[in-house]
Amino acid sequence: MSARITDSGNTRTTAAGRRLAELLVVRPAYRTRWMRQLRRQDTLRHGFSTVHQAAVARVLADHLWRDEQVPVTDRALPRRLKDLVQRALTGQVLSARTLDLFARAFAMSAVDVEELQALLQPPGIPATGSQAGPAPGRGPADSWPGPQPESGLRTVALREAWSLGPDGRPRMLHSIHVVRAVGTLPGYRYVLDPGGIDLRVLRGGQATPVRPPGPSTAVDVTFHRPLRPGQTTSVESVGRFAVAGTPVTRLLRGTTGRLENVELQVRFHPTLLPDRVWWTVWPGPAVMHPLCAEPVGLDPDGTAHLFLDAVEAQAVGFHWRFAS
């Protein structure tokens, strides 16, 4: 997953990411760790003068497995971590939590860690200031809402806009979903997050409610005409959510497959605005602790935005903190 709009303009993040990449090459102990993870098919375009990102991702995955943060049966973890590594080492996105993951996986010295923290953090802010712990509320283990991967489609664009009510609960989800058929495709199943009441298709097909297992609501979206392999169509829909319930502090989009050209936004009610918002990446449905969490600001209308080139076998979205 690569972000279109990221922290790349932040000179602190850029400097910290470049220095991290440099340290992984010039420090023999760090370089040895990722070199041991090289595979026969790996290509070193510039010899050992630059770090190999796929090998680094395998080092991080090995640490998460050993530390029992991710089940060892999750063998796709290194592939999912490659985008995190790319963003970190190029300085696009590097949070304090991601830096801590690198430090632990490579057993970095205190001197190197302090240097990277100093580069990353603005003056006067402690090194732990940007870390965002797991927020209470719904997590990625509860469900994989959205288009179901077994439906034989490819998501080439997805735009989701959430609206929250004055009680901090989701009220509406407006979605535009552009799909391409892998085989002959008459439609697909769309699962709403827990608390969803219904999904109404405005354009591109018809919706029939179904009863999936668990607390979620789902509909079968049937296209006006079945798609042939390679054909593309778009579906616009609106989902409604129950009014009653406790405020949520997390909204996400997850997939076991691949989503391309993803735009997510959440609009908070003007009477209940959060004091902190992070956009967040989780490695999978069974992991509650995020891989990285980056602070984001709100627009004047109380909206947070996230734009991503692709999401693959991960969950991305927002979590926030209301003032106590």
Side-chain angles (χ1 to χ4, degrees), residues 189-276:
R189 179 161 294 180
Y190 192 103
V191 177
L192 277 173
D193 299 55
I197 298 175
D198 61 40
L199 185 80
R200 183 163 57 96
V201 174
L202 305 179
R203 175 175 53 83
Q206 296 178 328
T208 303
V210 295
R211 286 185 173 272
S216 300
T217 298
V219 298
D220 281 336
V221 177
T222 304
F223 304 136
H224 295 310
R225 288 178 296 277
L227 299 182
R228 295 191 299 273
Q231 284 190 318
T232 301
T233 191
S234 64
V235 176
E236 182 177 6
S237 61
V238 172
R240 294 189 304 118
F241 290 80
V243 175
T246 58
V248 301
T249 56
R250 192 192 309 255
L251 286 172
L252 59 93
R253 170 57 56 228
T255 178
T256 54
R258 179 180 174 87
L259 308 176
E260 299 177 0
N261 302 304
V262 177
E263 176 186 356
L264 304 177
Q265 74 175 50
V266 55
R267 175 174 292 183
F268 297 91
H269 196 273
T271 63
L272 187 62
L273 296 176
D275 60 358
R276 293 291 301 275

Side-chain angles (χ1 to χ4, degrees), residues 130-181:
S130 68
Q131 291 192 21
R138 179 174 51 81
D142 297 332
S143 66
W144 274 127
Q148 298 305 287
E150 65 272 13
S151 54
L153 60 82
R154 174 185 169 192
T155 295
V156 297
L158 177 67
R159 180 185 185 274
E160 290 193 339
W162 296 85
S163 297
L164 272 60
D167 57 354
R169 291 282 303 172
R171 287 290 185 271
M172 199 76 67
L173 169 62
H174 181 227
S175 174
I176 298 177
H177 184 209
V178 182
V179 302
R180 181 169 299 151

Side-chain angles (χ1 to χ4, degrees), residues 81-130:
L81 288 171
K82 285 177 63 177
D83 288 319
L84 174 75
V85 170
Q86 189 271 336
R87 292 195 306 271
L89 298 184
T90 58
Q92 295 179 51
V93 178
L94 177 59
S95 68
R97 183 177 294 278
T98 300
L99 178 57
D100 181 68
L101 173 60
F102 274 87
R104 293 176 184 274
F106 283 90
M108 296 181 122
S109 70
V111 173
D112 287 341
V113 172
E114 289 175 3
E115 177 189 4
L116 292 168
Q117 289 175 337
L119 288 171
L120 185 61
Q121 299 299 329
I125 296 182
T128 58
S130 68

